[in-house]
Amino acid sequence: VRNVEDLLAVAIYAREHLNPQLFSYAYAVALLHRPDTQKLPIPSVVHNFPDKFVENRVIGRAREETPIEIPKDYTASDLEDEHRLHYFREDIGVNLHHWHWHQVYPNQGPKEVVNKNRRGELFYYMHQQIIARYNFDRLANNLKRVERLQEWNAPIKEAYFPKLDRLVSKRAYSGRVSESKMQNLSRAVDGSFVDLQDLERWRDAILDAIHKGVVRDPKNKEIPLTEFEGIDILGNIVEASDISINKQLYGNLHNQGHNIISLIHDPDGRHLEESGVMGDVATAMRDPVFYRWHAFIDSILRKFKDTLPRYTEDKLNNPGIEVLDVNIKTDGADPNVLNTFWQRSDVNISKGLDFQATGSVFVRITHLQHKDFEYEITVDNKSGGNKQGTCRIFLAPKNDERGNPWQFREQKNIFVEMDKFTVNLKQGTNTILRRSPETSVTIPFERTYRDISKAPEKGDEKALFNFCGCGWPHNLLVPKGTSEGMPCELFVMISNYDDDKIDQNTEGECNDAYSYCGIKDKLYPDRRSMGYPFDRQPRDGVKTLQEFLTPNMRVREITIKFENRIFTPKA
């Protein structure tokens, strides 16, 4: 399509003749990746398809045009242990982030659309952080870390019933009973054919490549898995994007695993059942088995990370820079305490309903929230002049599920990135203040759910308004914590900016949540490996976090205190 006018003309025709979900995906990807459509607003999927996010009874009540409150516990009861994490898995913002990430980084399409800078590595890191954050909250809810789904002939103990209907097909997302078993797919009804042996063969081929340190292209040419490019190559292979080195050999492990699980209840199509939520990127994170599957995917990619040279002290230290102290300040709270609670918020779903509504239809959701806070970091610069650095902030539970202090080789895998930003250090003592809403990880709640019909008319103002939904939801920046206070370790590092910087202009849209999403159509704005300095095995002799520290790092013990109250903001 030559220009925007032609694109919109094709879109008008396609909207009337394509499946609505297929049209929405194709239209959003086109707007996101064409250089001439960057100022066109892209609606949130929660506006177009509210049925992916709110239960079927809510859609029915919306016909009455009454204010609707979604119960906080509507998919299961407390008899199910996994339900303790429902607030995380079923958070609308979490699922919007996952959907939007796969829009920004589609695995199929023209090479210039799919082949984004460090795409495979970002697939690894974004999902690794999801698992780390999920495990963090599991520990806060007295559950052990998630078990990898790697025994594919064993029953899956977790059940899940989503309570979602598809407005397009008038069918429900199928549930899954406990003790279901993965089986070969042979569904002529929708063209799904894959065997469990295929997954096993692809897994073994990928592990063999990691063991040998090389992958093979279709002409049997060996391509080395180098220290910095190897994870990018493997990420694209494991997900099976169109830029995978060799799909015939390495297959489609990640995607077909999702498909097999999503059709576990009707693998041969004899009952003409719809897929479960695992078959849709907008709903997959609702299911407990998503985290078991991705813990397995993460374990494969971590095997490669474990083969890399360990960081020596000189690769971690920043000569002349010492972090003297770090503290957290929250208005009305004790120092070094993060406060979480429940909050009610309203979301307008009227634009996605399949009937005519005379006005707005709001649903009221209850989600986790935290008080805004501020980091206060004291840094001494003895380098002999002014210096730039990258401030890297991570957070991890202090103890494992048994209540014991971590071994560093385990704790490093559960650190969650909280922020990353450039600092200018003058000679001598510096005090760095950084507010939590400025984080490089999240997007604000209001931006996730904004109504594009209220976008400004002027081009520059519309560009600023433009919906860019890739980014962790800000309401889940801080893990839940516990009522008695969950002890955690806050890690702060000032790395050498000369080793971090990427020479490019980062101004533009969608550049404020780059830790998990990168910057649209630009290089990832950090030369280091994603997850640095926790992405590799510790250097020899390091058993604890304290033994890992160099002068440019500092750890502060903090507490996350959960208050079991519901805050309802004024309209």
Side-chain angles (χ1 to χ4, degrees):
V1 180
R2 292 170 299 177
N3 52 48
V4 175
E5 290 73 19
D6 288 350
L7 173 67
L8 295 178
V10 170
I12 292 171
Y13 175 83
R15 183 179 181 182
E16 301 300 324
H17 293 82
L18 287 180
N19 174 286
Q21 295 185 68
L22 176 60
F23 167 77
S24 177
Y25 172 81
Y27 184 59
V29 169
L31 294 186
L32 278 167
H33 297 282
R34 285 178 62 98
D36 56 355
T37 57
Q38 298 305 293
K39 293 185 178 182
L40 293 179
I42 301 168
S44 167
V45 69
V46 76
H47 291 148
N48 285 344
F49 300 103
D51 49 308
K52 294 180 183 289
F53 302 96
V54 299
E55 62 167 326
N56 45 25
R57 289 176 294 179
V58 169
I59 301 298
R61 289 180 58 195
R63 298 176 186 272
E64 305 169 12
E65 299 182 22
T66 57
I68 308 158
E69 182 168 331
I70 301 177
K72 185 163 65 71
D73 304 284
Y74 73 89
T75 53
S77 71
D78 290 338
L79 294 174
E80 174 57 54
D81 286 345
E82 293 295 326
H83 185 60
R84 299 180 201 174
L85 272 294
H86 73 92
Y87 66 89
F88 184 105
R89 298 193 318 270
E90 293 165 2
D91 185 273
I92 294 179
V94 157
N95 286 276
L96 283 171
H97 161 71
H98 187 245
W99 169 82
H100 205 95
W101 189 95
H102 283 279
Q103 296 272 332
V104 175
Y105 296 97
N107 66 347
Q108 294 179 311
K111 186 174 182 180
E112 63 272 16
V113 170
V114 178
N115 194 15
K116 302 296 184 183
N117 175 245
R118 295 171 73 175
R119 181 202 179 283
E121 183 180 6
L122 200 50
F123 169 81
Y124 154 71
Y125 183 59
M126 190 275 288
H127 288 91
Q128 183 274 325
Q129 283 286 287
I130 286 176
I131 299 303
R133 287 183 170 274
Y134 189 64
N135 279 329
F136 203 132
D137 271 60
R138 288 181 69 87
L139 297 182
N141 286 278
N142 295 316
L143 295 173
K144 63 181 180 179
R145 282 169 285 173
V146 67
E147 295 179 7
R148 291 174 290 174
L149 185 62
Q150 57 185 1
E151 300 295 333
W152 298 333
N153 292 313
I156 297 174
K157 60 185 177 181
E158 296 86 359
Y160 185 65
F161 296 88
K163 313 295 190 297
L164 297 179
D165 285 345
R166 291 177 169 92
L167 290 179
V168 172
S169 64
K170 310 300 182 185
R171 303 285 298 277
Y173 282 92
S174 296
R176 183 185 64 258
V177 298
S178 60
E179 306 301 323
S180 296
K181 292 184 67 174
M182 296 170 65
Q183 301 177 62
N184 299 336
L185 286 188
S186 181
R187 289 172 54 102
V189 65
D190 52 22
S192 298
F193 298 95
V194 62
D195 291 349
L196 289 178
Q197 287 185 346
D198 295 328
L199 297 189
E200 294 169 355
R201 186 176 70 256
W202 299 333
R203 175 201 60 198
D204 293 345
I206 294 168
L207 291 175
D208 183 63
I210 292 171
H211 174 71
K212 294 177 178 176
V214 295
V215 293
R216 296 182 180 276
D217 69 10
K219 296 181 179 180
N220 209 33
K221 177 184 176 182
E222 291 188 349
I223 299 172
L225 296 173
T226 59
E227 180 176 354
F228 294 104
E229 286 76 24
I231 189 65
D232 193 52
I233 293 172
L234 286 169
N236 285 312
I237 284 175
V238 169
E239 192 203 8
S241 72
D242 278 358
I243 56 174
S244 171
I245 291 291
N246 188 343
K247 275 193 176 183
Q248 183 175 356
L249 176 59
Y250 300 112
N252 194 352
L253 180 60
H254 164 265
N255 298 335
Q256 291 294 12
H258 270 267
N259 290 337
I260 287 176
I261 296 168
S262 74
L263 293 166
I264 200 169
H265 53 283
D266 192 16
D268 59 9
R270 69 180 62 191
H271 301 296
L272 303 179
E273 278 293 294
E274 298 277 352
S275 68
V277 294
M278 276 286 283
D280 187 335
V281 294
T283 58
M285 286 187 65
R286 302 170 69 92
D287 192 330
V289 81
F290 171 92
Y291 304 89
R292 294 194 60 195
W293 178 243
H294 271 278
F296 160 71
I297 295 295
D298 182 62
S299 71
I300 287 184
L301 295 170
R302 279 197 174 277
K303 287 184 185 299
F304 169 73
K305 283 286 188 175
D306 290 345
T307 69
L308 298 179
R310 304 180 182 207
Y311 290 125
T312 57
E313 190 166 337
D314 66 295
K315 293 293 185 181
L316 296 169
N317 201 8
N318 189 356
I321 302 300
E322 182 178 2
V323 180
L324 302 177
D325 200 7
V326 56
N327 290 283
I328 283 180
K329 299 187 297 182
T330 306
D331 290 342
D334 294 332
N336 298 313
V337 175
L338 297 175
N339 300 90
T340 63
F341 51 90
W342 301 122
Q343 178 173 306
R344 289 193 177 105
S345 299
D346 294 341
V347 178
N348 187 355
I349 66 169
S350 57
K351 289 180 173 57
L353 300 176
D354 63 347
F355 54 87
Q356 184 65 37
T358 58
S360 297
V361 178
F362 286 95
V363 295
R364 176 160 291 180
I365 60 176
T366 302
H367 57 88
L368 190 68
Q369 186 57 280
H370 61 273
K371 289 184 179 179
D372 287 341
F373 57 93
E374 185 176 56
Y375 303 102
E376 183 180 69
I377 305 165
T378 306
V379 182
D380 191 16
N381 176 10
K382 295 181 179 178
S383 65
N386 296 338
K387 193 170 184 179
Q388 280 190 308
T390 302
C391 184
R392 303 170 187 272
I393 304 178
F394 291 82
L395 183 69
K398 182 179 179 181
N399 302 315
D400 64 16
E401 47 264 82
R402 298 179 180 85
N404 298 323
W406 293 96
Q407 290 290 305
F408 181 72
R409 66 176 181 271
E410 293 292 321
Q411 188 182 23
K412 72 181 182 62
N413 297 335
I414 203 171
F415 268 101
V416 299
E417 185 171 339
M418 298 290 285
D419 204 351
K420 179 167 55 183
F421 55 95
T422 303
V423 293
N424 296 308
L425 303 171
K426 68 179 189 300
Q427 183 73 7
T429 303
N430 296 260
T431 299
I432 301 168
L433 300 176
R434 175 79 167 184
R435 295 178 60 250
S436 57
E438 298 175 290
T439 173
S440 63
V441 172
T442 70
I443 58 174
F445 188 90
E446 296 76 17
R447 186 162 122 204
T448 300
Y449 302 100
R450 62 174 52 189
D451 183 351
I452 66 163
S453 67
K454 298 179 181 179
E457 293 298 325
K458 295 181 181 179
D460 291 342
E461 294 177 4
K462 179 174 282 189
L464 292 174
F465 182 90
N466 190 19
F467 177 82
C468 297
C470 187
W472 192 252
H474 190 68
N475 60 288
L476 289 183
L477 173 66
V478 179
K480 181 184 175 186
T482 61
S483 298
E484 63 274 17
M486 183 178 186
C488 301
E489 292 183 309
L490 182 73
F491 171 92
V492 173
M493 174 186 192
I494 307 292
S495 59
N496 189 339
Y497 187 70
D498 290 339
D499 297 328
D500 306 335
K501 66 181 177 180
I502 298 292
D503 293 324
Q504 64 178 349
N505 182 354
T506 59
E507 295 179 0
E509 305 304 313
C510 308
N511 62 358
D512 56 348
Y514 63 82
S515 286
Y516 298 171
C517 295
I519 297 182
K520 188 175 182 309
D521 298 328
K522 296 182 185 293
L523 302 178
Y524 190 82
D526 185 1
R527 188 181 299 169
R528 305 274 191 175
S529 298
M530 296 178 198
Y532 170 85
F534 299 119
D535 63 307
R536 302 188 187 182
Q537 291 290 354
R539 61 189 184 274
D540 292 339
V542 170
K543 295 182 178 179
T544 67
L545 177 60
Q546 290 297 328
E547 294 172 342
F548 173 74
L549 302 181
T550 51
N552 59 320
M553 305 175 187
R554 188 82 176 184
V555 171
R556 163 69 66 184
E557 184 171 332
I558 68 165
T559 300
I560 304 179
K561 189 173 182 60
F562 169 67
E563 301 176 28
N564 194 9
R565 62 183 178 88
I566 298 178
F567 173 66
T568 304
K570 294 181 180 180

